[in-house]
Coordinates of all heavy atoms in Angstrom, one line a residue:
M1 N 23.4 -67.3 33.2 CA 22.0 -67.5 32.6 C 22.0 -69.0 32.4 O 22.8 -69.8 32.0 CB 21.9 -66.8 31.3 CG 20.5 -66.7 30.8 SD 20.5 -65.9 29.3 CE 20.0 -64.2 29.7
T2 N 20.8 -69.7 32.7 CA 20.5 -71.0 32.6 C 20.1 -71.4 31.2 O 19.7 -70.5 30.5 CB 19.5 -71.7 33.7 OG1 18.3 -71.1 33.3 CG2 20.0 -71.1 35.0
D3 N 20.1 -72.7 30.8 CA 19.5 -73.1 29.6 C 18.1 -72.8 29.6 O 17.6 -72.4 28.4 CB 19.7 -74.6 29.5 CG 21.2 -74.9 29.0 OD1 22.0 -74.0 28.8 OD2 21.6 -76.1 29.1
Q4 N 17.4 -72.8 30.6 CA 16.0 -72.6 30.6 C 15.7 -71.2 30.3 O 14.7 -70.9 29.5 CB 15.5 -72.9 32.1 CG 14.0 -73.6 32.1 CD 13.5 -73.9 33.5 OE1 14.3 -73.8 34.3 NE2 12.3 -74.3 33.5
D5 N 16.5 -70.2 30.7 CA 16.2 -68.9 30.3 C 16.4 -68.6 28.7 O 15.7 -67.9 28.2 CB 17.3 -68.0 31.1 CG 17.1 -67.8 32.5 OD1 15.9 -67.8 32.8 OD2 18.0 -67.6 33.3
H6 N 17.4 -69.4 28.0 CA 17.6 -69.3 26.7 C 16.4 -69.7 26.0 O 15.8 -69.2 25.1 CB 18.8 -70.2 26.3 CG 20.1 -69.4 26.5 ND1 20.4 -68.4 25.6 CD2 21.1 -69.6 27.2 CE1 21.6 -68.0 26.0 NE2 22.1 -68.8 27.0
A7 N 15.8 -70.9 26.4 CA 14.6 -71.4 25.8 C 13.4 -70.5 25.8 O 12.8 -70.3 24.9 CB 14.2 -72.7 26.4
H8 N 13.3 -69.7 27.0 CA 12.1 -68.8 27.2 C 12.2 -67.8 26.3 O 11.2 -67.3 25.6 CB 12.1 -68.5 28.7 CG 11.0 -67.5 29.0 ND1 9.6 -67.8 29.1 CD2 10.9 -66.2 29.2 CE1 8.9 -66.9 29.3 NE2 9.7 -65.8 29.4
E9 N 13.5 -67.2 26.0 CA 13.7 -66.0 25.3 C 13.4 -66.3 23.8 O 12.7 -65.6 23.2 CB 15.2 -65.6 25.4 CG 15.4 -64.3 25.7 CD 16.9 -64.0 26.0 OE1 17.5 -63.8 25.1 OE2 17.3 -63.9 27.2
A10 N 13.9 -67.6 23.3 CA 13.7 -67.9 21.9 C 12.1 -67.9 21.7 O 11.5 -67.5 20.7 CB 14.3 -69.1 21.7
H11 N 11.4 -68.5 22.7 CA 9.9 -68.6 22.4 C 9.2 -67.3 22.4 O 8.3 -67.1 21.6 CB 9.3 -69.4 23.6 CG 7.9 -69.7 23.4 ND1 7.2 -70.6 22.6 CD2 6.8 -69.0 24.1 CE1 6.0 -70.5 22.5 NE2 5.5 -69.7 23.5
A12 N 9.7 -66.4 23.2 CA 9.1 -65.0 23.3 C 9.2 -64.3 21.9 O 8.4 -63.7 21.4 CB 9.6 -64.2 24.4
H13 N 10.6 -64.6 21.4 CA 10.9 -63.9 20.1 C 9.9 -64.5 19.0 O 9.3 -63.7 18.3 CB 12.3 -64.1 19.9 CG 12.8 -63.3 18.7 ND1 12.9 -62.0 18.6 CD2 13.2 -64.0 17.3 CE1 13.3 -61.8 17.2 NE2 13.5 -62.9 16.6
E14 N 9.8 -65.7 19.0 CA 9.0 -66.3 18.0 C 7.6 -65.8 18.0 O 7.0 -65.4 16.9 CB 8.9 -67.8 18.3 CG 9.6 -68.7 17.1 CD 9.6 -70.2 17.4 OE1 8.9 -70.6 18.4 OE2 10.5 -70.9 16.9
A15 N 7.0 -65.7 19.1 CA 5.7 -65.4 19.3 C 5.4 -64.0 18.8 O 4.3 -63.6 18.3 CB 5.1 -65.4 20.8
G16 N 6.4 -63.0 18.9 CA 6.3 -61.7 18.4 C 6.5 -61.6 16.9 O 5.7 -60.7 16.4
V17 N 7.0 -62.5 16.3 CA 7.1 -62.5 14.8 C 5.9 -62.9 14.2 O 5.5 -62.4 13.1 CB 8.4 -63.4 14.3 CG1 8.4 -63.5 12.9 CG2 9.7 -62.6 14.9
A18 N 5.2 -63.9 14.6 CA 4.0 -64.6 14.0 C 2.8 -64.5 14.7 O 2.6 -65.4 15.6 CB 4.4 -66.1 13.7
P19 N 2.2 -63.4 14.5 CA 0.7 -63.3 15.2 C -0.1 -64.3 14.7 O -0.2 -64.6 13.5 CB 0.2 -61.9 14.8 CG 1.0 -61.4 13.6 CD 2.3 -62.3 13.6
D20 N -0.9 -65.0 15.6 CA -1.8 -66.1 15.1 C -3.3 -65.6 15.2 O -3.5 -64.4 15.2 CB -1.7 -67.3 16.1 CG -1.9 -66.9 17.5 OD1 -2.6 -65.8 17.8 OD2 -1.6 -67.6 18.5
D21 N -4.1 -66.5 14.8 CA -5.5 -66.1 14.6 C -6.1 -65.4 15.8 O -7.2 -64.7 15.8 CB -6.4 -67.2 14.2 CG -6.1 -67.6 12.7 OD1 -5.5 -66.7 12.0 OD2 -6.5 -68.6 12.2
Q22 N -5.7 -65.9 16.9 CA -6.2 -65.4 18.2 C -5.9 -63.8 18.3 O -6.9 -63.1 18.7 CB -5.5 -66.1 19.5 CG -6.1 -65.8 20.8 CD -7.5 -65.9 21.0 OE1 -8.1 -66.9 20.5 NE2 -8.3 -64.9 21.5
D23 N -4.8 -63.5 17.9 CA -4.6 -62.0 17.8 C -5.6 -61.3 17.0 O -6.1 -60.3 17.3 CB -3.2 -61.7 17.2 CG -2.0 -62.0 18.2 OD1 -2.4 -61.8 19.4 OD2 -1.0 -62.3 17.9
C24 N -5.8 -61.9 15.7 CA -6.7 -61.3 14.7 C -8.1 -61.2 15.4 O -8.8 -60.2 15.1 CB -6.7 -62.0 13.5 SG -5.3 -62.0 12.5
A25 N -8.6 -62.3 16.1 CA -9.9 -62.1 16.7 C -10.1 -61.0 17.7 O -11.0 -60.4 17.7 CB -10.2 -63.5 17.5
E26 N -8.9 -60.7 18.4 CA -8.9 -59.7 19.4 C -8.9 -58.3 18.6 O -9.7 -57.4 18.9 CB -7.8 -59.7 20.1 CG -7.9 -60.7 21.4 CD -6.7 -60.9 22.1 OE1 -5.8 -60.0 22.2 OE2 -6.5 -62.0 22.7
Y27 N -8.3 -58.3 17.5 CA -8.2 -57.0 16.7 C -9.5 -56.8 16.0 O -9.9 -55.5 15.9 CB -7.1 -57.0 15.6 CG -5.8 -56.6 16.2 CD1 -4.7 -57.5 16.5 CD2 -5.5 -55.3 16.4 CE1 -3.5 -57.1 17.0 CE2 -4.3 -54.8 17.1 CZ -3.3 -55.7 17.2 OH -2.2 -55.3 17.8
L28 N -10.3 -57.8 15.6 CA -11.5 -57.6 14.9 C -12.4 -56.8 15.8 O -13.1 -56.1 15.5 CB -12.1 -59.0 14.5 CG -13.4 -58.9 13.9 CD1 -13.3 -58.1 12.6 CD2 -14.0 -60.3 13.6
E29 N -12.5 -57.3 17.2 CA -13.3 -56.5 18.1 C -12.8 -55.0 18.3 O -13.7 -54.2 18.5 CB -13.0 -57.3 19.5 CG -14.2 -57.3 20.3 CD -14.0 -58.2 21.6 OE1 -13.8 -59.5 21.4 OE2 -14.0 -57.6 22.7
R30 N -11.5 -54.9 18.3 CA -10.9 -53.5 18.5 C -11.3 -52.6 17.2 O -11.6 -51.5 17.5 CB -9.5 -53.6 18.6 CG -9.0 -53.9 20.0 CD -7.5 -54.2 20.0 NE -6.8 -53.9 21.1 CZ -5.5 -53.8 21.3 NH1 -4.8 -53.9 20.3 NH2 -4.9 -53.5 22.5
I31 N -11.4 -53.3 16.2 CA -11.7 -52.6 14.7 C -13.0 -52.0 14.9 O -13.3 -51.0 14.4 CB -11.5 -53.6 13.7 CG1 -10.0 -53.8 13.3 CG2 -12.2 -52.9 12.4 CD1 -9.8 -54.9 12.5
V32 N -13.9 -52.7 15.5 CA -15.3 -52.2 15.6 C -15.3 -50.8 16.5 O -16.0 -49.9 16.2 CB -16.3 -53.3 16.3 CG1 -17.6 -52.6 16.6 CG2 -16.3 -54.5 15.4
Y33 N -14.5 -50.9 17.7 CA -14.5 -49.6 18.4 C -13.7 -48.6 17.7 O -13.9 -47.4 17.9 CB -13.8 -50.1 19.8 CG -14.6 -50.9 20.8 CD1 -14.1 -52.2 21.1 CD2 -15.8 -50.5 21.2 CE1 -15.0 -53.0 21.9 CE2 -16.6 -51.2 22.1 CZ -16.1 -52.6 22.3 OH -16.9 -53.3 23.1
F34 N -12.6 -49.0 17.0 CA -11.8 -48.1 16.2 C -12.8 -47.2 15.3 O -12.6 -46.0 15.2 CB -10.8 -48.9 15.5 CG -10.0 -48.1 14.6 CD1 -8.8 -47.4 15.2 CD2 -9.9 -48.2 13.2 CE1 -7.9 -46.5 14.3 CE2 -9.0 -47.4 12.4 CZ -8.0 -46.7 13.1
L35 N -13.7 -48.0 14.6 CA -14.6 -47.3 13.6 C -15.4 -46.3 14.3 O -15.9 -45.4 13.8 CB -15.3 -48.5 12.9 CG -14.6 -49.0 11.8 CD1 -15.4 -50.3 11.4 CD2 -14.6 -48.0 10.5
D36 N -15.8 -46.7 15.7 CA -16.6 -45.7 16.4 C -15.8 -44.8 17.2 O -16.4 -43.9 18.0 CB -17.5 -46.6 17.4 CG -18.6 -47.3 16.7 OD1 -19.0 -47.0 15.7 OD2 -19.0 -48.3 17.2
N37 N -14.4 -44.6 17.0 CA -13.7 -43.7 17.6 C -13.8 -43.9 19.1 O -13.8 -42.9 19.9 CB -13.9 -42.3 17.2 CG -13.6 -42.0 15.8 OD1 -12.5 -42.4 15.4 ND2 -14.4 -41.3 15.0
E38 N -13.8 -45.2 19.6 CA -13.8 -45.3 21.0 C -12.7 -45.9 21.8 O -12.7 -46.3 22.8 CB -15.1 -46.3 21.3 CG -16.4 -45.6 21.1 CD -17.7 -46.5 21.5 OE1 -17.4 -47.7 21.7 OE2 -18.8 -46.2 21.1
L39 N -11.6 -45.9 20.8 CA -10.3 -46.4 21.4 C -9.3 -45.3 21.8 O -9.5 -44.1 21.2 CB -9.6 -47.3 20.3 CG -10.1 -48.6 19.9 CD1 -9.2 -49.2 18.8 CD2 -10.3 -49.5 21.0
D40 N -8.5 -45.5 22.8 CA -7.6 -44.3 23.2 C -6.5 -44.4 22.1 O -6.3 -45.3 21.3 CB -7.1 -44.6 24.6 CG -6.4 -45.9 24.8 OD1 -5.8 -46.5 23.9 OD2 -6.5 -46.4 26.0
A41 N -5.5 -43.4 22.2 CA -4.6 -43.2 21.2 C -3.7 -44.5 21.0 O -3.4 -44.7 19.8 CB -3.8 -42.0 21.5
A42 N -3.3 -45.1 22.1 CA -2.5 -46.2 22.1 C -3.0 -47.3 21.3 O -2.4 -48.1 20.5 CB -2.1 -46.8 23.4
D43 N -4.3 -47.8 21.7 CA -5.0 -48.8 21.0 C -5.3 -48.4 19.4 O -5.2 -49.3 18.7 CB -6.4 -49.1 21.6 CG -6.2 -50.0 22.9 OD1 -5.3 -50.5 22.8 OD2 -7.3 -50.0 23.6
C44 N -5.5 -47.2 19.1 CA -5.7 -46.7 17.7 C -4.4 -47.0 17.0 O -4.5 -47.6 15.9 CB -6.0 -45.2 17.7 SG -7.8 -44.9 17.8
A45 N -3.3 -46.7 17.5 CA -2.0 -46.9 16.8 C -1.9 -48.4 16.7 O -1.4 -48.8 15.5 CB -0.9 -46.3 17.7
A46 N -2.1 -49.2 17.7 CA -2.0 -50.7 17.6 C -2.8 -51.2 16.5 O -2.4 -52.2 15.6 CB -2.3 -51.3 18.9
V47 N -4.0 -50.8 16.4 CA -4.9 -51.3 15.3 C -4.4 -50.9 13.9 O -4.5 -51.7 13.0 CB -6.4 -50.8 15.5 CG1 -7.2 -51.1 14.3 CG2 -7.0 -51.4 16.7
R48 N -3.9 -49.6 13.7 CA -3.4 -49.2 12.6 C -2.2 -50.0 12.1 O -2.2 -50.4 10.9 CB -3.1 -47.7 12.6 CG -4.2 -46.8 12.6 CD -3.9 -45.4 12.0 NE -4.9 -44.4 12.2 CZ -4.9 -43.6 13.3 NH1 -4.0 -43.7 14.2 NH2 -6.1 -42.9 13.3
V49 N -1.3 -50.3 13.0 CA -0.2 -51.1 12.6 C -0.7 -52.4 12.2 O -0.2 -52.9 11.2 CB 0.7 -51.2 13.8 CG1 1.8 -52.2 13.6 CG2 1.4 -49.8 14.2
H50 N -1.5 -53.0 12.9 CA -1.9 -54.3 12.6 C -2.7 -54.4 11.3 O -2.4 -55.2 10.4 CB -3.0 -54.9 13.7 CG -3.2 -56.3 13.5 ND1 -2.4 -57.4 13.8 CD2 -4.5 -57.0 12.8 CE1 -2.9 -58.6 13.4 NE2 -4.2 -58.3 12.8
L51 N -3.5 -53.4 10.9 CA -4.1 -53.3 9.7 C -3.2 -53.2 8.4 O -3.2 -53.6 7.4 CB -5.0 -52.1 9.5 CG -6.3 -52.3 10.5 CD1 -7.3 -51.0 10.3 CD2 -7.2 -53.5 9.9
D52 N -2.0 -52.4 8.8 CA -1.0 -52.3 7.9 C -0.3 -53.6 7.5 O 0.3 -53.8 6.3 CB 0.2 -51.3 8.4 CG -0.1 -49.9 7.9 OD1 -1.2 -49.7 7.0 OD2 0.5 -49.0 8.2
T53 N -0.3 -54.5 8.5 CA 0.6 -55.7 8.3 C -0.3 -57.0 8.0 O 0.3 -58.1 7.8 CB 1.5 -56.0 9.5 OG1 0.7 -56.0 10.7 CG2 2.5 -54.8 9.7
C54 N -1.5 -56.9 8.3 CA -2.3 -58.0 8.2 C -3.6 -57.8 7.3 O -4.5 -57.0 7.6 CB -3.0 -58.4 9.6 SG -3.9 -59.9 9.7
N55 N -3.5 -58.4 6.1 CA -4.5 -58.2 5.1 C -5.8 -58.7 5.4 O -6.8 -58.0 5.2 CB -3.9 -58.8 3.7 CG -4.5 -58.0 2.5 OD1 -4.4 -56.7 2.4 ND2 -5.0 -58.6 1.5
P56 N -6.0 -59.9 5.9 CA -7.3 -60.4 6.3 C -8.1 -59.3 7.1 O -9.3 -59.1 7.0 CB -7.2 -61.6 7.0 CG -5.8 -62.2 6.4 CD -5.0 -60.9 6.2
C57 N -7.3 -58.8 8.2 CA -7.9 -57.9 9.0 C -8.3 -56.6 8.3 O -9.3 -55.8 8.6 CB -7.0 -57.6 10.2 SG -7.2 -58.8 11.5
L58 N -7.6 -56.1 7.4 CA -7.9 -55.1 6.7 C -9.0 -55.2 5.8 O -10.0 -54.3 5.8 CB -6.5 -54.7 5.6 CG -6.8 -53.4 4.8 CD1 -6.7 -52.1 5.7 CD2 -5.5 -53.2 3.8
E59 N -9.2 -56.4 5.3 CA -10.5 -56.8 4.5 C -11.8 -56.6 5.4 O -12.8 -56.1 5.2 CB -10.4 -58.1 3.9 CG -9.5 -58.0 2.6 CD -9.3 -59.4 2.1 OE1 -10.0 -60.3 2.5 OE2 -8.3 -59.6 1.3
R60 N -11.5 -57.1 6.7 CA -12.7 -57.0 7.7 C -12.9 -55.6 8.1 O -14.1 -55.2 8.3 CB -12.2 -57.9 9.0 CG -12.2 -59.3 8.8 CD -11.7 -60.0 10.0 NE -11.3 -61.3 9.6 CZ -10.2 -61.9 9.8 NH1 -9.3 -61.4 10.7 NH2 -9.7 -63.1 9.4
Y61 N -11.9 -54.8 8.2 CA -12.1 -53.4 8.5 C -12.9 -52.7 7.5 O -13.8 -51.9 7.6 CB -10.6 -52.8 8.6 CG -10.7 -51.3 8.7 CD1 -11.0 -50.6 9.8 CD2 -10.2 -50.5 7.6 CE1 -11.1 -49.1 9.8 CE2 -10.3 -49.1 7.5 CZ -10.7 -48.4 8.6 OH -10.7 -47.1 8.7
D62 N -12.5 -53.0 6.2 CA -13.2 -52.5 5.0 C -14.8 -52.9 5.2 O -15.5 -52.1 4.8 CB -12.7 -53.0 3.7 CG -11.5 -52.0 3.4 OD1 -11.4 -50.9 3.8 OD2 -10.7 -52.5 2.5
L63 N -14.9 -54.2 5.4 CA -16.3 -54.7 5.5 C -17.1 -53.9 6.6 O -18.1 -53.5 6.4 CB -16.4 -56.2 5.8 CG -17.6 -56.9 6.1 CD1 -18.4 -56.8 4.7 CD2 -17.4 -58.3 6.4
Q64 N -16.5 -53.8 7.8 CA -17.2 -53.0 8.9 C -17.4 -51.6 8.5 O -18.4 -51.1 9.0 CB -16.2 -53.1 10.2 CG -15.9 -54.5 10.8 CD -17.2 -55.1 11.5 OE1 -18.1 -54.4 11.7 NE2 -17.0 -56.3 11.8
R65 N -16.6 -51.1 7.9 CA -16.7 -49.6 7.4 C -17.9 -49.5 6.5 O -18.8 -48.6 6.6 CB -15.4 -49.1 6.8 CG -15.3 -47.6 6.9 CD -14.0 -47.2 6.5 NE -13.6 -47.9 5.0 CZ -12.6 -47.6 4.3 NH1 -11.7 -46.7 4.8 NH2 -12.3 -48.3 3.3
T66 N -18.2 -50.6 5.6 CA -19.2 -50.6 4.6 C -20.5 -50.7 5.5 O -21.5 -50.1 5.2 CB -18.9 -51.8 3.7 OG1 -17.8 -51.7 3.1 CG2 -20.1 -51.8 2.7
V67 N -20.4 -51.6 6.6 CA -21.7 -51.8 7.3 C -22.0 -50.5 7.9 O -23.2 -50.2 7.9 CB -21.4 -52.9 8.3 CG1 -22.5 -52.9 9.3 CG2 -21.2 -54.2 7.6
K68 N -21.1 -49.8 8.5 CA -21.4 -48.5 9.1 C -22.0 -47.5 8.2 O -22.7 -46.8 8.6 CB -20.0 -48.0 9.8 CG -20.0 -48.0 11.3 CD -18.8 -47.2 11.9 CE -19.1 -45.9 12.3 NZ -20.1 -46.1 13.4
A69 N -21.4 -47.4 7.1 CA -21.9 -46.6 6.0 C -23.4 -46.8 5.7 O -24.2 -46.0 5.6 CB -21.0 -46.6 4.7
V70 N -23.6 -48.2 5.6 CA -24.9 -48.6 5.2 C -25.9 -48.2 6.4 O -27.0 -47.7 6.1 CB -25.1 -50.1 5.0 CG1 -26.5 -50.6 4.9 CG2 -24.4 -50.4 3.6
V71 N -25.6 -48.5 7.6 CA -26.4 -48.1 8.8 C -26.5 -46.6 8.8 O -27.8 -46.2 9.0 CB -25.7 -48.6 10.0 CG1 -26.4 -48.1 11.3 CG2 -25.7 -50.3 10.0
A72 N -25.6 -45.9 8.6 CA -25.7 -44.4 8.7 C -26.6 -43.8 7.7 O -27.3 -43.0 7.9 CB -24.2 -43.7 8.5
R73 N -26.6 -44.5 6.4 CA -27.4 -44.0 5.4 C -28.8 -44.4 5.6 O -29.7 -43.7 5.3 CB -27.0 -44.6 4.0 CG -27.2 -43.7 3.0 CD -26.7 -44.3 1.6 NE -25.7 -45.3 1.8 CZ -25.3 -46.2 0.9 NH1 -25.9 -46.3 -0.3 NH2 -24.5 -47.2 1.2
S74 N -28.9 -45.5 6.3 CA -30.3 -46.0 6.6 C -31.0 -45.0 7.5 O -32.2 -45.2 7.7 CB -30.3 -47.5 7.1 OG -29.9 -47.4 8.5
C75 N -30.3 -44.2 8.3 CA -31.0 -43.2 9.1 C -31.8 -42.1 8.2 O -32.9 -41.7 8.6 CB -30.1 -42.5 10.0 SG -29.3 -43.5 11.1
A76 N -31.2 -41.9 7.1 CA -31.9 -40.8 6.3 C -32.8 -41.5 5.3 O -33.9 -41.0 5.1 CB -30.7 -40.2 5.4
E77 N -32.5 -42.6 4.7 CA -33.2 -43.4 3.8 C -33.2 -44.8 4.0 O -32.1 -45.3 4.4 CB -32.9 -43.1 2.4 CG -31.4 -43.2 2.1 CD -31.0 -43.1 0.7 OE1 -31.5 -43.9 -0.1 OE2 -30.3 -42.1 0.4
P78 N -34.2 -45.5 3.9 CA -34.1 -47.0 4.2 C -33.3 -47.6 3.3 O -33.3 -47.7 2.1 CB -35.6 -47.5 4.1 CG -36.4 -46.3 3.6 CD -35.6 -45.1 3.4
A79 N -32.2 -48.5 3.7 CA -31.3 -49.2 2.9 C -32.2 -50.4 2.3 O -33.0 -50.9 3.0 CB -30.1 -49.8 3.7
P80 N -31.8 -50.9 1.1 CA -32.4 -51.8 0.5 C -32.3 -53.1 1.4 O -31.1 -53.4 1.7 CB -31.7 -52.1 -0.8 CG -31.0 -50.7 -1.0 CD -30.8 -50.1 0.3
E81 N -33.3 -53.9 1.6 CA -33.3 -55.0 2.4 C -32.3 -56.0 1.9 O -31.6 -56.7 2.7 CB -34.7 -55.7 2.6 CG -34.7 -56.9 3.6 CD -34.2 -56.6 5.0 OE1 -34.5 -55.4 5.3 OE2 -33.7 -57.4 5.6
A82 N -32.2 -56.2 0.6 CA -31.2 -57.2 0.0 C -29.8 -56.8 0.4 O -29.0 -57.8 0.6 CB -31.5 -57.2 -1.4
L83 N -29.5 -55.5 0.3 CA -28.0 -55.1 0.6 C -27.8 -55.5 2.1 O -26.6 -56.0 2.5 CB -27.9 -53.7 0.5 CG -26.5 -53.2 0.8 CD1 -25.4 -53.7 0.0 CD2 -26.6 -51.6 0.4
R84 N -28.8 -55.1 3.0 CA -28.5 -55.4 4.4 C -28.4 -56.9 4.7 O -27.5 -57.2 5.5 CB -29.6 -54.8 5.2 CG -29.6 -53.4 5.5 CD -30.4 -52.9 6.5 NE -31.9 -53.1 6.2 CZ -32.9 -52.4 6.9 NH1 -32.6 -51.5 7.7 NH2 -34.1 -52.7 6.5
E85 N -29.1 -57.7 4.0 CA -29.0 -59.2 4.2 C -27.6 -59.6 3.8 O -27.0 -60.5 4.3 CB -30.2 -59.9 3.4 CG -30.0 -61.3 3.5 CD -30.2 -61.8 5.1 OE1 -30.8 -61.1 5.9 OE2 -29.6 -63.0 5.3
R86 N -27.2 -59.1 2.6 CA -25.8 -59.4 2.1 C -24.7 -59.1 3.0 O -23.8 -59.9 3.3 CB -25.7 -58.8 0.7 CG -24.8 -59.6 -0.1 CD -24.8 -59.1 -1.6 NE -24.2 -57.6 -1.7 CZ -24.6 -56.8 -2.6 NH1 -25.5 -57.1 -3.5 NH2 -24.1 -55.6 -2.6
V87 N -24.8 -57.9 3.7 CA -23.8 -57.5 4.7 C -23.9 -58.3 5.9 O -22.9 -58.8 6.5 CB -24.1 -56.0 5.0 CG1 -23.3 -55.7 6.3 CG2 -23.8 -55.1 3.9
R88 N -25.0 -58.7 6.3 CA -25.2 -59.6 7.5 C -24.5 -60.9 7.2 O -23.8 -61.4 8.1 CB -26.6 -59.8 7.8 CG -27.1 -58.8 8.9 CD -28.5 -59.4 9.6 NE -29.5 -59.5 8.6 CZ -30.3 -58.5 8.3 NH1 -30.4 -57.4 8.9 NH2 -31.4 -58.6 7.4
V89 N -24.8 -61.5 6.1 CA -24.2 -62.7 5.7 C -22.6 -62.7 5.6 O -22.0 -63.5 6.0 CB -24.8 -63.2 4.2 CG1 -23.9 -64.5 3.7 CG2 -26.3 -63.6 4.5
S90 N -22.2 -61.5 5.1 CA -20.8 -61.5 4.9 C -20.1 -61.5 6.3 O -19.0 -62.0 6.6 CB -20.3 -60.1 4.3 OG -20.9 -60.2 2.9
I91 N -20.7 -60.7 7.2 CA -20.2 -60.6 8.6 C -20.2 -62.0 9.3 O -19.2 -62.4 9.9 CB -21.0 -59.7 9.5 CG1 -20.8 -58.3 9.0 CG2 -20.6 -59.7 11.0 CD1 -21.7 -57.3 9.7
R92 N -21.2 -62.8 9.1 CA -21.3 -63.9 9.7 C -20.2 -65.0 9.1 O -19.6 -65.7 9.8 CB -22.8 -64.6 9.4 CG -23.2 -65.5 10.7 CD -24.6 -66.0 10.5 NE -25.6 -64.7 10.4 CZ -26.6 -64.6 9.5 NH1 -26.9 -65.6 8.7 NH2 -27.4 -63.6 9.6
Q93 N -20.0 -64.8 7.9 CA -18.9 -65.6 7.3 C -17.6 -65.3 7.8 O -16.7 -66.2 8.1 CB -18.9 -65.5 5.7 CG -20.0 -66.3 5.0 CD -20.1 -65.8 3.6 OE1 -19.6 -64.8 3.1 NE2 -20.8 -66.5 2.8
V94 N -17.3 -64.0 8.0 CA -15.9 -63.6 8.6 C -15.9 -64.3 10.0 O -14.8 -64.8 10.3 CB -15.9 -62.0 8.6 CG1 -14.7 -61.7 9.6 CG2 -15.6 -61.6 7.3
Q95 N -17.0 -64.1 10.7 CA -16.9 -64.6 12.1 C -16.7 -66.1 12.2 O -16.0 -66.6 13.0 CB -18.2 -64.3 12.9 CG -18.2 -62.8 13.3 CD -19.6 -62.3 13.7 OE1 -20.5 -62.9 13.5 NE2 -19.6 -61.3 14.5
V96 N -17.5 -67.0 11.3 CA -17.2 -68.4 11.2 C -15.9 -68.6 10.8 O -15.2 -69.5 11.5 CB -18.2 -69.0 10.2 CG1 -18.0 -70.4 9.9 CG2 -19.7 -68.8 10.8
R97 N -15.3 -68.1 9.8 CA -13.9 -68.3 9.6 C -13.0 -67.9 10.6 O -12.1 -68.9 10.8 CB -13.5 -67.4 8.3 CG -13.0 -68.2 7.2 CD -12.5 -67.3 6.0 NE -13.7 -66.7 5.4 CZ -13.7 -65.4 4.8 NH1 -12.6 -64.8 4.9 NH2 -14.8 -65.0 4.4
L98 N -13.2 -66.9 11.4 CA -12.4 -66.6 12.5 C -12.4 -67.7 13.6 O -11.3 -68.2 14.2 CB -12.8 -65.3 13.1 CG -12.0 -64.1 12.6 CD1 -12.7 -62.8 13.4 CD2 -10.6 -64.2 13.0
S99 N -13.6 -68.2 13.9 CA -13.8 -69.2 15.0 C -13.2 -70.5 14.7 O -12.8 -71.4 15.5 CB -15.2 -69.2 15.6 OG -16.1 -69.6 14.5
E100 N -13.3 -70.8 13.2 CA -12.8 -72.0 13.0 C -11.2 -72.1 12.9 O -10.5 -73.1 12.9 CB -13.2 -72.4 11.5 CG -14.6 -72.9 11.4 CD -15.2 -73.1 10.1 OE1 -14.5 -72.7 9.0 OE2 -16.2 -73.7 9.9
G101 N -10.7 -70.8 12.8 CA -9.2 -70.6 12.8 C -8.3 -71.6 12.1 O -7.4 -72.0 12.6
Ligands
LIG201 ZN1 -5.0 -59.7 11.8

């Protein structure tokens, strides 16, 4: 084994230990599908594991779930416009925070 192989191995190990914001950005997208039950079993498991280990993503998941509940309820009765606006602002804040990384 060459020295170069050693260096490559060490880097791969590091990357596995510390997920960065890019991972979270990808998970945020999956979380939306997760809530809609549009992920296959493998992706579902991956999202659950990430939510277990990543508190910021768990909070985003809770937020998305709240949005879904509001939208679902609005089919039966109109949701208060103030609440919908608050949810919209919250989502935008999360997205801005994510892209600023
Ligand atoms: Zn995350």
